[in-house]
């Protein structure tokens, strides 16, 4: 019964979404509050129904109900419990269900917000949101129904793709989807504003927390995915410019531009049209990302769905939403009133430059990802656009972007003083330069680009922090006062500084990859392989059997300069239900660097192929992204009321209680 | 669920509306902005001149927001009422209509859940087909690979299913976990022989020797060692072993007829003479001669001039030459010719089982079920 209840709940959600789409829209057109008020309960109802459906599917996975085709194809009764649950979204159908579940979750949260949204905007937003839900529910029900049954139930399932049997999978897709789908709210807001023909700072304030939430989750999701690929695929790389990675990276770039342009819009009532366009584009890129991954146009680890029917369906959805929204934009955008003016050199100007660079970067990634597809579609020729392309095109855009990042943060709103801003950053710049020189001295050389990266990373790091320092401390001020003032700064200012610093940290980690060492060898037990200062001795290869796989574990003793520093294990697994082999990289963290061991083929003479990497400071890449996401989250906890002072000062937190506390603190 | 959903949507439609909130929101937002600017200026975070500029800008926006507001008061007129009725009708009909139609088209309400626990509880082991039983035991062993009894159960099933390599592994595990015994060693050896297409390898022979050492009277080991001797060309040795075996066998031993048949076959003077002669030839010639003899025997058999022993020899010869289809054919004709002689048919069955000529015929029920299960 449980499975069928889930199935019915899914169709019920479709019914509710239809109502949620039609009635509030009608209500908003004729300005009838009663009809608009339908939106909220309908949105909550749709969420509840899809949550029931999702719970039912999860339940079927947990009890290994092999009368459900989806469970048979992606589960195994012997699989560890965690992977039974994560297996729910480790496949096409389940992940689409998770997609709509998160979509309606966001809708439900919007429905619950009170007093921060104009009623009409809320009704229209939920209505647009519902139209997306309808499209995806139809897609799920007709082309990829997770509740299809198998009669009679087979005895054993076919197990989940072994690459996906990992803690990373339990976390990566939900985070990524929270990000992707979160942008649907910004999209719905943008379309609602276009339909309504009204857009102002209130709109920007309303949309900003959603965009920020989505962006934080997307950042975490991409970061998790990258770390997962790093240790699971066994190639030692952390980013491959794989189309699927690009698919999540493009919305991130556009979303980053969006959160910056919304700030301008909220504070200065400018960049309205551009912001709307960005909101549409960001979600469109999320949809394209879904399309790229789900339709099987790309052959990749992620393309667990390879079905032309689904591809066509998603393509139609894409055309309706992207084409429709852009058409609406072209029609309505000229009617929007332009707002505040600003000098080219100002915080706004810097943010415009940021937007320009980010969207250009996004466009280069877009071209690199889709050009091979388009070419193949038109001429049948296959080309592959690899990392060299992206390094040649993306880096020259990203580097100036990071370089101006601290500068933009230091400039004043409306009209800024470039010289003054530069002076304030001198200390950070000098420090970064000095550290880059220290690195040069210590490593005795290294690629120019990497050194540049180191300098850039340090500059971004110190530049972001110097913003906090200069705002809270001036010469001759006692440190305690400075500390009080720093604590009194709005959380959004802290959030900005921390997020930017995180980017700096990531850049440092990326630059440090240039000093990585790698070696490849066939090693027999007792022999050693070395990279950098480290030598690894293979102690032996022992087999062991787990419920769904057999594995060979290679144990290594690690020596640094002849001194034993521990042991390390790497595995090669054969998953019996699918007959698929995977590798589990052996990792040893030393400081911020990692020793990375990937196992290759076994040699008939008893040796085993070993790839050994020493990756200095590699953890900084992910630590940086975590810091960045934390900054975003911190900014989110700021009261969402911000003021548009045409000067550098940012918002005060507006809660009365906090206000008093601050007043006490500063007096 | 449907009722709850419909009510959920109808509720706001029937409710009396409070004042619309939008207008209040906008103004409140800009007033808040102005108030914040005041506070900033008061705390000295914002210079007075900049604060003034900010205040003016926010004030302008506040005015604009107030201008822009159109009247959207509470609508209670006749059109509004009619509209709400229409909306209620839509909600009332659309939700169940969409949900029930789609579910009716896609759902399978009559299919019950089948969680693993329920299927295990319901499944009578005897009703399981062989594959499922094997899958279940394998699953159990995957979780507890140290369960020797499980391997012991699984091994003969593998053997019967023709998965000889797996049987060797399973017997090996059973041996490792449960300790050496004559029976286990002999079983392991038997599995090795079958995995080696009937040839007693050196490895298998070691196993049989150990089995005999552990349990001197082990019949299976003795029988296979005799087979080994025979395959080495040592017919006399083979005969000696078999006779010894027969002498020590209890009168009701089920394998007695098989041993007797072997002895009869080996002791056939014609065969032994020819055998001596053949043993002295070069390998190619030897194969040639053997084939010639087999062909002669086959011709005689086809003419109906032979008895049970010759039939058995013919089938075995084909099997040894590796020609399994001919062996199966010979077996079929022998059954035809000797139909009615129950004892002879049993001997044929025994031989067939020993040589695995007809193991397909034991499998059909399982095969059929398997194909049903996978549409």
């Amino acid at each position: 019964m449980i499975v069928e209840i889930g199935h019915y709940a899914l169709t019920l959600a479709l019914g509710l979404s239809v109502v949620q789409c039609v009635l509030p829209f009608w209500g908003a057109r004729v300005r009838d509050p009663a009809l608009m008020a339908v939106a909220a309960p309908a949105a909550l109802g749709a969420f509840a129904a899809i949550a029931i459906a999702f719970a039912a599917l999860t339940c079927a996975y947990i009890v290994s109900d092999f009368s459900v085709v989806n469970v048979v194809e992606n589960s195994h009764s012997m699989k560890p419990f965690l992977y039974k649950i994560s297996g729910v979204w480790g496949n096409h159908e389940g992940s689409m269900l998770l997609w709509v579940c998160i979509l309606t979750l966001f809708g439900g949260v919007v429905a619950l917000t009170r007093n921060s949204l104009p009623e009409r905007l809320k009704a229209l937003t939920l209505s647009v949101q519902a139209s997306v839900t309808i499209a995806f529910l139809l897609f799920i029900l007709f082309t990829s129904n997770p509740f299809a049954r198998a009669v009679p139930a087979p005895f054993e399932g076919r197990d989940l793709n072994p690459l996906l049997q990992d803690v990373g999978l339990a976390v990566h897709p939900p985070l990524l989807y929270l990000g992707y789908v979160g942008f649907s709210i910004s999209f719905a807001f943008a379309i609602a504003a276009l339909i309504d023909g009204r857009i102002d700072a209130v709109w920007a304030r309303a949309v900003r927390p959603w965009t920020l939430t989505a962006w934080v989750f997307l950042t975490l999701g991409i970061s998790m995915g990258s770390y997962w690929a790093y240790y699971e695929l066994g190639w030692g790389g952390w980013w491959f410019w794989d189309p699927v990675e690009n698919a999540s990276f493009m919305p991130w770039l556009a979303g980053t531009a969006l959160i910056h342009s919304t700030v301008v819009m909220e504070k200065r009532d400018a960049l309205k049209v551009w912001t709307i366009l960005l909101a549409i584009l960001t979600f469109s890129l999320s949809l394209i990302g879904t399309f790229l991954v789900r339709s099987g146009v790309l052959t990749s680890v992620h393309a667990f769905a390879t079905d032309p029917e689904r591809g066509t369906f998603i393509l139609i959805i894409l055309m309706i939403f992207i084409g429709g929204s852009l058409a609406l934009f072209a029609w309505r955008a000229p009617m929007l009133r332009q707002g505040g003016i600003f000098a080219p050199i100002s915080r706004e100007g810097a943010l415009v430059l940021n937007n320009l660079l980010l969207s250009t970067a996004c466009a280069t990634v877009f071209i690199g990802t889709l050009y091979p597809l388009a070419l193949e579609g038109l001429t049948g020729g296959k080309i592959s656009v690899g990392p060299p392309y992206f390094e040649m095109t993306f880096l020259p855009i990203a580097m100036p972007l990071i370089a101006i990042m601290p500068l933009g943060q230091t400039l004043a709103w409306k009209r800024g003083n470039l010289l003054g801003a530069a002076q304030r950053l001198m200390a950070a710049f000098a420090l970064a330069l000095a550290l880059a020189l220290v690195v040069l001295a210590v490593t005795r050389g290294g690629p120019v680009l990497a050194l540049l990266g180191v300098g850039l990373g340090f500059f971004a790091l110190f530049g972001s922090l110097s913003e906090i320092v200069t705002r809270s401390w001036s010469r001759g001020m006692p440190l305690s006062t400075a500390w009080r003032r720093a604590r009194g700064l709005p959380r959004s200012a802290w959030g900005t500084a921390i997020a930017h610093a995180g980017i700096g940290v990531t850049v440092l980690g990326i630059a440090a990859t240039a000093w990585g060492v790698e070696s490849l060898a066939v090693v027999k037990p007792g022999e050693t392989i070395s990279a950098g200062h480290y030598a690894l001795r293979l102690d032996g290869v022992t087999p062991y059997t787990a419920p769904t796989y057999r594995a060979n574990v290679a144990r290594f003793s690690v020596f640094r300069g002849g001194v034993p520093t521990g042991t390390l294990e790497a595995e090669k697994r054969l998953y019996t239900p699918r007959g698929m082999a995977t590798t589990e990289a052996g990792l040893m963290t030393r400081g911020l660097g990692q020793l990375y061991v990937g196992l290759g083929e076994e040699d008939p003479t008893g040796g085993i192929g070993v790839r050994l990497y020493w990756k200095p400071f590699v953890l900084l890449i992910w630590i940086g992204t975590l810091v960045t996401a934390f900054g975003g989250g911190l900014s989110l906890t700021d009261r969402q009321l911000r003021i548009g002072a045409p000067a550098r000062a940012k918002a005060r937190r507006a809660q009365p209680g906090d206000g008093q506390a601050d007043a006490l603190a500063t007096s | 669920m449907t009722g709850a959903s419909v009510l959920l949507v109808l509720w706001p439609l029937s409710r009396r509306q409070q004042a619309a909130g939008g207008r209040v929101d906008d103004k409140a937002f800009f007033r808040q902005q102005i108030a914040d600017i005041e506070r900033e200026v008061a705390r000295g975070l914002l210079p007075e001149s900049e604060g003034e500029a900010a205040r003016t800008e926010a004030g302008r926006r506040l005015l604009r927001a107030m201008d822009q507001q159109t009247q959207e008061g509470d609508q209670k007129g006749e059109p509004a009422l009619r509209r709400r009725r229409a909306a209620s009708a839509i909600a009332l009909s659309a939700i169940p209509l969409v949900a029930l139609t789609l579910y009716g088209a896609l759902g399978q309400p009559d299919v019950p859940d089948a969680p693993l626990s329920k299927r295990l509880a319901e499944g009578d082991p005897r009703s399981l087909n062989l594959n499922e039983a094997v899958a279940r035991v394998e699953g159990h062993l995957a979780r507890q690979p140290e369960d020797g009894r499980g391997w012991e159960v699984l091994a003969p099933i593998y053997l019967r299913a023709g998965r000889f390599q797996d049987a060797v592994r399973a017997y090996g595990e059973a041996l490792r976990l449960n300790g050496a015994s004559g029976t286990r060693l002999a079983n392991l050896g038997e599995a090795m022989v079958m995995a080696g297409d009937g040839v007693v390898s050196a490895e298998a022979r070691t196993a049989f020797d150990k089995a005999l050492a552990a349990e001197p009277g082990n019949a299976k080991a003795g029988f296979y060692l005799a087979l080994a001797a025979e395959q080495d060309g040592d017919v006399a040795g083979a005969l000696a072993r078999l006779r010894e075996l027969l002498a020590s066998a209890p009168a009701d031993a089920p394998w007695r007829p098989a041993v007797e048949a072997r002895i009869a076959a080996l002791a056939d003077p014609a065969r032994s003479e020819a055998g001596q002669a053949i043993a002295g030839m070069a390998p190619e010639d030897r194969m040639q001669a053997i084939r010639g003899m087999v062909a002669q025997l086959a011709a005689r058999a086809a003419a109906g001039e032979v008895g049970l022993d010759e039939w058995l020899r013919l089938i075995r010869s084909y099997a040894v030459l590796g020609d399994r289809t001919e062996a199966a054919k010979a077996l079929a004709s022998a059954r035809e010719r000797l139909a009615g002689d129950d004892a002879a048919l049993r001997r044929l069955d025994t031989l067939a089982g020993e040589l695995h000529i007809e193991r397909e015929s034991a499998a059909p029920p399982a095969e059929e079920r398997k194909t049903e299960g996978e549409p």
Side-chain angles (χ1 to χ4, degrees):
Chain A
M1 263 314 276
I2 295 173
V3 176
E4 291 303 315
I5 287 176
H7 197 170
Y8 181 65
L10 203 58
T11 57
L12 196 60
L14 182 63
L16 278 166
S17 299
V18 170
V19 169
Q20 185 196 338
C21 181
V22 175
L23 291 189
F25 182 77
W26 186 16
R29 295 314 293 168
V30 299
R31 295 174 191 283
D32 186 334
L35 289 188
M36 289 196 275
V38 171
L44 289 172
F47 169 62
I50 292 182
I52 289 173
F54 192 75
L57 187 64
T58 311
C59 183
Y61 266 89
I62 291 174
V63 301
S64 293
D65 187 339
F66 293 141
S67 68
V68 181
V69 176
N70 189 244
V71 183
V72 177
E73 283 173 353
N74 299 289
S75 193
H76 192 282
S77 60
M78 237 60 81
K79 203 166 61 169
F81 184 74
L82 175 69
Y83 302 151
K84 279 186 185 169
I85 294 181
S86 67
V88 176
W89 55 80
N91 61 83
H92 171 76
E93 288 84 357
S95 65
M96 288 322 288
L97 190 60
L98 180 68
W99 212 95
V100 274
C101 190
I102 293 174
L103 189 69
T104 49
L105 169 69
F106 274 107
V109 179
V110 171
L112 282 181
T113 53
R114 288 181 189 284
N115 303 328
S116 66
L117 277 184
E119 205 59 38
R120 261 162 65 83
L121 183 60
K122 180 168 156 184
L124 278 174
T125 303
L126 286 174
S127 168
V128 175
Q129 175 88 358
S131 68
V132 181
T133 315
I134 292 172
F136 275 88
L137 278 177
L138 285 175
F139 174 68
I140 290 176
L141 283 168
F142 285 110
T143 71
S144 31
N145 196 326
F147 292 108
R149 307 298 294 269
V151 184
F155 188 75
E156 196 44 275
R158 278 174 232 162
D159 205 3
L160 184 65
N161 184 341
L163 283 177
L164 307 179
Q165 292 194 28
D166 190 275
V167 190
L169 177 77
V171 199
H172 162 66
L175 285 176
L176 202 61
Y177 280 9
L178 279 168
Y180 271 1
V181 179
F183 285 124
S184 75
I185 297 284
S186 326
F187 171 80
F189 271 111
I191 298 296
L194 283 176
I195 293 173
D196 209 21
R198 247 192 75 206
I199 179 164
D200 49 27
V202 180
W203 182 90
R205 185 204 55 183
V207 79
R208 196 161 130 79
W210 300 105
T211 318
L212 204 52
T213 312
W215 180 85
V216 166
F217 281 121
L218 191 59
T219 309
L220 287 174
I222 295 177
S223 163
M224 275 302 307
S226 157
Y227 189 65
W228 175 33
Y230 166 72
Y231 73 75
E232 181 72 30
L233 295 182
W235 305 330
W238 51 274
W239 190 261
F240 303 100
W241 294 107
D242 171 272
V244 175
E245 286 171 328
N246 293 346
S248 63
F249 193 45
M250 289 188 286
W252 188 84
L253 288 171
T256 312
L258 179 61
I259 52 179
H260 288 98
S261 78
T262 336
V263 176
V264 177
M265 182 163 160
E266 186 186 333
K267 299 249 197 260
R268 299 278 301 122
D269 215 21
L271 294 188
K272 287 176 177 177
V273 178
W274 171 243
T275 304
I276 294 274
L277 181 63
L278 264 184
I280 293 175
L281 286 182
T282 306
F283 184 59
S284 302
L285 287 170
S286 295
L287 283 178
I288 291 176
T290 312
F291 170 69
L292 286 181
V293 179
R294 295 284 144 227
S295 64
V297 226
L298 308 164
T299 319
S300 149
V301 191
H302 300 64
F304 19 83
T306 314
D307 187 337
E309 189 190 334
R310 288 172 183 167
T312 324
F313 206 119
I314 299 191
L315 205 55
I316 292 171
I317 294 181
L318 278 184
M319 272 159 50
I320 292 175
F321 283 101
I322 302 180
S325 56
L326 288 179
L328 189 67
F329 175 78
W331 175 39
R332 301 290 291 216
M335 300 178 200
L336 296 176
R337 247 177 61 91
Q338 271 300 356
I341 42 165
F342 52 86
I345 293 175
S346 62
R347 177 77 71 89
E348 295 93 318
L351 286 170
V352 167
L353 190 55
N354 143 308
N355 267 244
L356 220 55
L357 289 172
L358 277 171
S359 16
T360 317
C362 186
T364 59
V365 176
F366 187 81
I367 292 169
T369 311
L370 290 187
Y371 177 67
L373 282 182
L375 193 72
E376 195 186 334
L378 292 176
T379 66
K382 261 191 186 288
I383 59 158
S384 90
V385 173
Y389 163 83
F390 292 102
E391 276 155 23
M392 299 261 299
T393 53
F394 184 77
L395 287 186
I397 300 168
M399 292 180 90
L401 179 65
I402 293 165
I404 62 156
M405 193 169 72
L407 200 64
Q409 215 183 335
T410 319
L411 282 170
W413 288 103
K414 205 161 182 178
R415 69 186 76 78
N417 180 350
L418 192 59
L419 204 62
Q423 274 167 353
R424 276 196 292 274
L425 282 172
M426 272 318 283
F429 186 73
L431 204 54
L433 195 65
L435 282 168
L437 287 175
V438 168
V439 170
L440 178 68
V442 169
T443 61
R444 292 189 210 91
V448 178
L449 204 61
L451 277 174
L452 201 60
V454 170
L456 204 58
F458 277 123
F459 179 55
L461 180 60
F462 296 129
S464 311
L465 297 180
S466 86
E467 166 70 4
I468 294 289
V469 174
T470 49
R471 279 181 63 179
S472 52
W473 181 77
S474 47
R475 208 175 293 275
M477 188 188 275
L479 277 178
S480 56
T481 321
W483 174 239
R484 266 211 310 275
R485 281 187 60 139
R487 287 188 35 169
L489 286 176
R491 289 207 198 159
S492 62
W494 274 102
T496 311
I498 290 176
H500 286 175
I503 301 278
V505 172
T506 300
V507 170
L508 282 178
I510 296 172
T513 53
W515 285 279
V517 192
E518 104 175 64
S519 61
L520 278 158
V522 175
V523 182
K524 286 182 189 155
E527 292 181 348
T528 49
I529 176 171
S530 54
H533 302 294
Y534 293 91
L536 269 73
R537 188 185 66 211
L538 178 62
D539 291 337
V541 183
T542 38
Y544 82 93
T545 314
T548 49
Y549 61 87
R550 287 202 291 272
N552 278 329
V553 185
R555 286 196 175 73
F556 295 90
S557 294
V558 182
F559 299 91
R560 190 193 152 100
V563 185
T565 46
T567 59
L568 193 151
E569 289 181 1
E571 287 179 34
K572 216 170 156 61
R573 293 179 176 171
L574 179 74
Y575 280 80
T576 33
R578 289 199 177 204
M580 238 177 104
T582 67
T583 56
E584 294 286 309
L587 293 176
M588 179 189 256
T589 306
R590 311 287 306 167
L592 289 169
Q594 277 188 329
L595 271 174
Y596 183 110
V597 173
L599 293 186
E601 291 308 310
E602 264 179 81
D603 200 50
T605 60
I608 188 161
V610 176
R611 296 157 179 266
L612 172 65
Y613 303 89
W614 163 241
K615 295 172 170 294
F617 298 103
V618 71
L619 287 181
L620 284 182
I621 296 176
W622 298 290
I623 292 176
T625 56
L626 289 183
V627 170
T628 304
F630 173 75
L634 194 65
S635 185
L636 200 58
T637 61
D638 194 288
R639 280 298 298 165
Q640 286 138 24
L641 299 167
R642 299 179 181 84
I643 48 165
R648 206 156 62 67
K650 277 208 176 174
R652 287 296 318 126
R653 307 200 315 151
Q655 277 174 335
D658 287 333
Q660 278 160 16
D662 291 338
L664 283 174
T666 39
S667 61
Chain B
M1 262 200 302
T2 321
S5 321
V6 175
L7 283 181
L8 199 65
V9 174
L10 288 185
W11 176 55
L13 285 175
S14 58
R15 204 169 40 148
R16 255 175 50 83
Q17 284 301 309
Q18 305 96 324
R23 202 174 5 169
V24 182
D25 275 345
D26 276 16
K27 281 194 286 189
F29 173 71
F30 291 115
R31 290 216 179 91
Q32 188 82 54
Q33 274 200 340
I34 295 173
D36 282 340
I37 296 167
E38 299 290 357
R39 206 165 29 239
E40 292 259 315
V41 173
R43 284 188 47 206
L45 278 174
L46 202 59
E48 183 55 42
S49 59
E50 285 180 3
E52 190 55 47
R55 233 184 335 251
T56 325
E57 202 171 290
R60 267 205 304 274
R61 280 188 236 154
L62 171 60
L63 284 176
R64 194 157 70 234
M66 291 173 85
D67 279 353
Q68 223 170 31
Q69 286 298 328
T70 44
Q71 289 303 309
E72 50 180 272
D74 227 358
Q75 301 187 359
K76 292 209 180 85
E78 180 64 17
L81 211 58
R82 221 180 300 141
R83 198 159 52 225
R84 276 173 212 182
R85 274 204 206 109
S88 308
I90 292 176
L92 203 58
S93 56
I95 295 176
L97 208 66
V98 170
L100 289 172
T101 329
L102 270 180
Y103 182 75
L106 300 170
Q108 286 177 290
D110 49 326
V111 179
D113 286 355
L116 184 69
S117 53
K118 188 173 154 210
R119 276 177 293 137
L120 285 181
E122 274 175 4
D124 175 359
R126 276 165 303 177
S127 74
L128 289 175
N129 70 37
L130 189 65
N131 293 337
E132 284 186 5
V134 171
R136 185 179 294 183
V137 181
E138 276 174 344
H140 166 77
L141 284 174
R143 260 171 310 182
Q144 298 183 345
E146 300 297 297
D147 180 0
R149 221 169 49 92
W151 290 113
E152 200 111 52
V153 170
L154 200 54
I157 302 179
Y158 280 145
L159 208 57
R160 225 171 301 146
R163 292 166 65 178
F164 302 129
Q165 283 301 345
D166 286 332
V168 171
R169 198 165 54 86
Y171 274 127
E173 290 286 328
L175 199 60
R176 182 172 67 81
L177 295 166
N178 300 349
S181 81
T183 324
R184 285 192 196 109
L185 281 162
N187 283 338
L188 175 65
E190 186 182 30
M192 284 173 173
V193 171
M194 293 191 175
D197 259 339
V199 174
V200 184
S201 60
E203 232 181 342
R205 193 181 302 190
T206 319
F208 291 126
D209 283 339
K210 278 190 193 158
L212 271 188
E215 187 192 330
N218 189 297
K220 193 178 268 175
F223 183 82
Y224 277 102
L225 282 174
L227 184 64
E230 185 192 338
Q231 283 173 358
D232 285 349
D234 179 9
V235 179
L239 269 175
R241 274 194 181 281
L242 287 173
R243 293 211 170 100
E244 192 187 322
L245 199 59
L246 202 59
S248 66
D252 56 345
W255 42 266
R256 226 186 146 93
V259 175
E260 281 166 353
R262 286 306 295 152
I263 292 175
L266 287 175
D268 186 333
R271 180 199 150 107
S272 49
E273 267 168 42
Q276 304 295 342
I278 288 170
M281 295 178 181
E284 310 87 66
D285 297 340
R286 194 191 304 166
M287 283 313 285
Q288 197 67 39
I290 292 174
R291 277 185 212 285
M293 284 172 62
V294 172
Q296 274 176 21
L297 191 57
R300 275 170 54 213
E305 296 168 10
V306 296
L308 173 64
D309 283 346
E310 279 93 346
W311 273 117
L312 289 175
R313 202 188 311 156
L314 180 62
I315 294 165
R316 193 182 295 278
S317 305
Y318 278 132
V320 170
L321 288 173
D323 196 342
R324 302 188 80 81
T325 40
E326 279 302 320
K329 255 190 235 164
L331 180 67
S333 355
R335 282 206 173 121
E336 220 167 272
R337 300 266 176 166
L338 301 171
D341 182 350
D342 281 350
L345 285 179
R346 251 202 311 284
R347 291 274 303 275
L348 282 171
D349 286 346
T350 316
L351 181 68
E354 211 174 286
L355 297 176
H356 306 287
I357 296 172
E358 279 191 323
R359 65 167 180 269
E360 301 79 18
S361 66
E367 292 283 316
E368 270 165 35
R369 247 185 263 170
K370 197 179 154 203
T371 40
E372 269 168 35
E374 288 177 340

